[in-house]
Amino acid sequence: ALKDNISIQLLNTERSSHYLEGKVHREVEDLSVIYRLNMELRDGKKGSCVVTEDMMRLMGLDEKELYDLAMENAPINSPYQIKSITEMLEEMTNEEVFPSCPLMVLTNDETIYGASVIMYPNVLEQCSAVMNGDFYIIPSSTDEVIVIPDDGNASVAYMNAMVAEVNATEVEEHMRLGNEVYHYDAEEKVFEKASSHEERMKQKSAEKETSSE
């Protein structure tokens, strides 16, 4: 059934504002989740099309139902995978000469629109188990994100500057997500911009100081 083949894609909301017109989407931080209908083409290859508001009405669904269907089916049809950068380089080159690295790549098994797996139910919780707690999410492209443990030493301003630089020089425009790094708080189960997390932590420690006076 059509409804069993709904997947999602993440886009940068601001950069995609014209493209999003007439398309069903929901906003999360500075990202937009759009819905895709996967189908098999005549030559046996797989294809997909973006779900427009008209298509959604024809399917007799609203956005929440579409989101729930996507959350149910996308993890089955496009399972997530998390691999260390070292492991990926070794697979690509068939050589085991790369130093161990704490960076992990999070994507789906096709590595197409794989950044969307951060929206899958429980994926961020599962990543926090791999990362042993809180972690940062670097939006490297619409196809994948990079996750890095939050060891308390990272500079959010530096990471944001690095992402902006890489986006401007290395990533094709249509594949760029945001210029800001995200953070996942394992204890509170909060996904947010890293800058928002920093502000929240400052506020918390200020409140603690005030209450202990």
Side-chain angles (χ1 to χ4, degrees):
L2 281 178
K3 292 176 184 178
D4 298 336
N5 289 300
I6 294 164
S7 63
I8 57 171
Q9 179 187 349
L10 280 183
L11 298 171
N12 178 274
T13 305
E14 197 180 329
R15 199 174 283 128
S16 310
S17 56
H18 290 303
Y19 180 76
L20 290 167
E21 285 171 17
K23 310 210 169 53
V24 190
H25 61 282
R26 71 163 55 190
E27 292 179 18
V28 180
E29 292 294 319
D30 57 348
L31 302 170
S32 281
V33 177
I34 60 169
Y35 304 93
R36 302 191 75 93
L37 203 50
N38 302 319
M39 56 192 75
E40 202 156 305
L41 305 174
R42 283 181 188 166
D43 54 9
K45 289 180 183 168
K46 286 181 178 177
S48 69
C49 65
V50 178
V51 177
T52 62
E53 287 166 2
D54 290 342
M55 282 166 69
M56 180 179 73
R57 279 191 287 273
L58 284 169
M59 291 162 81
L61 300 170
D62 61 26
E63 190 276 336
K64 172 151 190 343
E65 290 167 325
L66 205 53
Y67 181 80
D68 291 345
L69 281 166
M71 292 300 108
E72 197 180 315
N73 294 298
I76 298 165
N77 298 330
S78 298
Y80 85 96
Q81 57 175 355
I82 182 165
K83 286 183 176 179
S84 73
I85 283 193
T86 310
E87 195 183 340
M88 290 192 81
L89 288 169
E90 285 171 356
E91 281 177 9
M92 282 157 63
T93 59
N94 288 324
E95 289 183 33
E96 293 183 15
V97 293
F98 298 96
S100 181
C101 172
L103 301 183
M104 310 277 281
V105 177
L106 180 61
T107 184
N108 57 18
D109 58 355
E110 299 112 356
T111 64
I112 296 170
Y113 309 137
S116 61
V117 301
I118 63 173
M119 295 294 146
Y120 287 7
N122 303 321
V123 162
L124 296 180
E125 287 92 325
Q126 284 157 356
C127 281
S128 70
V130 176
M131 295 275 132
N132 293 315
D134 292 13
F135 58 93
Y136 292 103
I137 299 162
I138 298 170
S140 51
S141 83
T142 52
D143 286 344
E144 79 284 304
V145 297
I146 292 168
V147 290
I148 177 171
D150 174 5
D151 59 6
N153 296 319
S155 156
V156 173
Y158 173 77
M159 288 194 291
N160 284 349
M162 183 185 70
V163 171
E165 169 71 15
V166 171
N167 269 340
T169 57
E170 307 289 334
V171 185
E172 288 180 53
E173 195 159 338
H174 70 282
M175 295 184 75
R176 290 176 198 163
L177 285 176
N179 279 344
E180 285 198 56
V181 172
Y182 305 97
H183 184 273
Y184 182 71
D185 183 323
E187 196 180 323
E188 297 190 25
K189 299 191 173 180
V190 175
F191 166 78
E192 62 197 334
K193 285 182 182 176
S195 53
S196 306
H197 176 260
E198 231 175 17
E199 280 304 310
R200 208 159 54 82
M201 292 303 106
K202 274 182 198 161
Q203 213 172 333
K204 258 192 173 177
S205 64
E207 283 165 10
K208 262 190 192 164
E209 277 173 32
T210 310
S211 64
S212 64
E213 280 173 12

